Amino acid sequence: MKTRLLSVTSEADMQEAAKIIADGGLVAFPTETVYGLGADALNARAVGSVYDAKGRPSDNPMIVHVCRADDLKRIYDLDKLPQQNQKQIRALTENFWPGPLTIIGPRAACVPDRTTGGLETVAVRMPDSQVALDLIRQSGCPIAAPSANISGRPSPTRAKDVVADMDGRIEAIFMGGDCQVGIESTVLDMTGDTPTILRPGILTADDISDALGVPVAYDKALSQKPDGDDFKPKAPGMKYKHYAPKADMMILEGAYTDVKREIERLRREKEREGLKVGSILFEESAFREAAHDFFARLRDLDQAGVDLIIAGALSGEDQVGFAVMNRMVKSAGYNIIKV
Ligand code: TXA
Ligand code: MG
């Protein structure tokens, strides 16, 4: 398939992209978090081709992207929730949409099994990106969009990353700028008694708790290694191999200066063995910068052909640091060494 590269400033390209989506095709587009790979969320066949293009396991549900908070009412069956939860969802959309928050609620009958991975719940978000919002509005349907990478690879935060993975596999790619946030949205389950974060992001439990005036929990699977019997993440996507660079990867955990010294020592040792070594070490407490750069750094190091990536751990005490570490440990296949 020939993939068209579209300009985000061309009205004709926007119309073309909207038509592709409305006709059941696939278009990649920028959001504030990462690039998404979009299809008509209510068209099971279109959503099926997203799984094919990504090579994604088909039980992994998609996030449905809307351009108005009101559209929630069409995608959720809100009557299935207690009044209290409905009120909280309204407060969330007022406080955080458009923005990097995905909310899980009971699905409405119009949402196909293909989109929810057969679950009785559905994930919805309104992205903070004009291109994304225009595309949803002009195609006239909510857009299901996972990250626009081949399944298992680092999420794409730059147009060139999307081209590297998706050229020839989808109808079109919007060539926008770099994503501001750099890691995917916070996924929040609003179907239970306590709002629960299933995937951490730049928007933290404290941010959400401040807005709602109630405690917000993190799914306990987020602090578990995926090999134990009691590892049962509530977001199906959290159980898959993820974000893996082509190179081997290890994480060093310890005091900043010790980690820095150990990275240099290991680099010299491994280079003597003939390996090409790359490193990722963010300044202490530069959590947002780390979120912004992490996936791009993985991709650049792969591009440079390194054999081994040595990364410095961020403090998981900070909730944004915790969100980046959630991705980093998966990229490294949980290969963490204390120094
Ligand atoms: O920032 C983002 O969220 C990006 C951009 C494109 O919007 N999208 C994204 O989609 O990261 P994806 O498909 O890569 O991740 C969706 C996550 C997966 O972990 C999936 O299992 C979870 O959300 N999820 C979706 N629907 C769910 C549901 N009904 N219940 C539990 N988890 C759900
Ligand atoms: Mg993804």
Side-chain angles (χ1 to χ4, degrees):
M1 179 185 310
K2 174 112 182 69
T3 301
R4 292 200 42 189
L5 302 185
L6 307 174
S7 156
V8 293
T9 54
S10 157
E11 192 44 47
D13 280 7
M14 178 57 76
Q15 279 167 13
E16 168 82 25
K19 186 169 179 328
I20 293 172
I21 297 277
D23 290 346
L26 307 184
V27 178
F29 58 93
T31 81
E32 81 282 30
T33 56
V34 301
Y35 273 74
L37 175 54
D40 177 352
L42 304 183
N43 175 340
R45 183 200 294 260
V47 172
S49 47
V50 174
Y51 289 101
D52 294 340
K54 277 181 67 82
R56 175 180 173 117
S58 59
D59 72 332
N60 192 2
M62 310 245 171
I63 297 173
V64 176
H65 295 68
V66 297
C67 62
R68 278 175 301 259
D70 241 23
D71 291 345
L72 264 187
K73 296 185 191 133
R74 287 208 303 145
I75 313 233
Y76 287 160
D77 185 353
L78 279 171
D79 292 342
K80 291 217 173 95
L81 285 181
Q83 285 296 330
Q84 167 78 354
N85 296 46
Q86 296 187 33
K87 233 173 79 193
Q88 288 172 340
I89 289 176
R90 247 188 328 270
L92 290 170
T93 62
E94 278 162 17
N95 276 277
F96 299 115
W97 280 8
L101 176 67
T102 294
I103 307 173
I104 294 181
R107 81 194 259 194
C110 68
V111 184
D113 276 342
R114 258 333 212 156
T115 304
T116 68
L119 297 174
E120 283 313 308
T121 54
V122 60
V124 187
R125 131 173 155 86
M126 177 174 169
D128 188 11
S129 146
Q130 203 50 55
V131 180
L133 295 171
D134 287 347
L135 182 62
I136 301 163
R137 187 171 323 103
Q138 295 206 29
S139 18
C141 55
I143 293 186
S147 47
N149 52 287
I150 302 263
S151 196
R153 302 260 305 132
S155 297
T157 58
R158 305 168 298 192
K160 65 175 179 182
D161 302 336
V162 181
V163 173
D165 279 19
M166 288 299 153
D167 194 18
R169 293 174 164 255
I170 61 178
E171 276 79 6
I173 300 172
F174 267 114
M175 303 297 286
D178 297 355
C179 302
Q180 297 134 5
V181 174
I183 57 173
E184 307 89 338
S185 61
T186 304
V187 175
L188 181 70
D189 182 2
M190 289 303 294
T191 60
D193 293 337
T194 304
T196 303
I197 292 179
L198 308 188
R199 179 176 71 183
I202 201 105
L203 203 75
T204 66
D206 286 350
D207 297 331
I208 297 165
S209 182
D210 285 349
L212 294 182
V214 298
V216 171
Y218 281 100
D219 183 4
K220 79 173 192 313
L222 291 173
S223 352
Q224 291 170 332
K225 262 191 153 184
D227 40 15
D229 283 347
D230 55 347
F231 179 74
K232 293 196 181 67
K234 295 205 187 75
M238 301 303 274
K239 68 178 184 276
Y240 295 111
K241 185 174 155 63
H242 249 99
Y243 312 132
K246 292 179 189 131
D248 285 337
M249 182 166 167
M250 62 166 84
I251 298 173
L252 304 185
E253 194 177 71
Y256 183 81
T257 46
D258 295 341
V259 167
K260 192 168 177 176
R261 194 177 325 110
E262 184 61 7
I263 287 179
E264 287 321 312
R265 192 193 67 74
L266 268 172
R267 179 200 299 282
R268 284 192 299 275
E269 181 184 305
K270 297 292 177 186
E271 283 177 352
R272 271 198 301 275
E273 293 170 15
L275 293 181
K276 191 165 174 188
V277 178
S279 62
I280 301 178
L281 181 63
F282 298 107
E283 290 300 317
E284 251 181 312
S285 307
F287 301 113
R288 282 180 173 259
E289 188 193 333
H292 182 269
D293 289 356
F294 179 63
F295 287 135
R297 293 287 290 280
L298 287 184
R299 283 182 176 264
D300 287 347
L301 289 170
D302 267 348
Q303 193 66 39
V306 305
D307 304 296
L308 174 67
I309 299 173
I310 311 174
L314 298 166
S315 164
E317 305 278 301
D318 179 274
Q319 293 179 64
V320 176
F322 176 71
V324 181
M325 282 310 289
N326 172 267
R327 277 78 178 174
M328 195 187 279
V329 296
K330 287 178 190 164
S331 326
Y334 294 82
N335 183 12
I336 307 170
I337 295 160
K338 296 222 187 318
V339 300

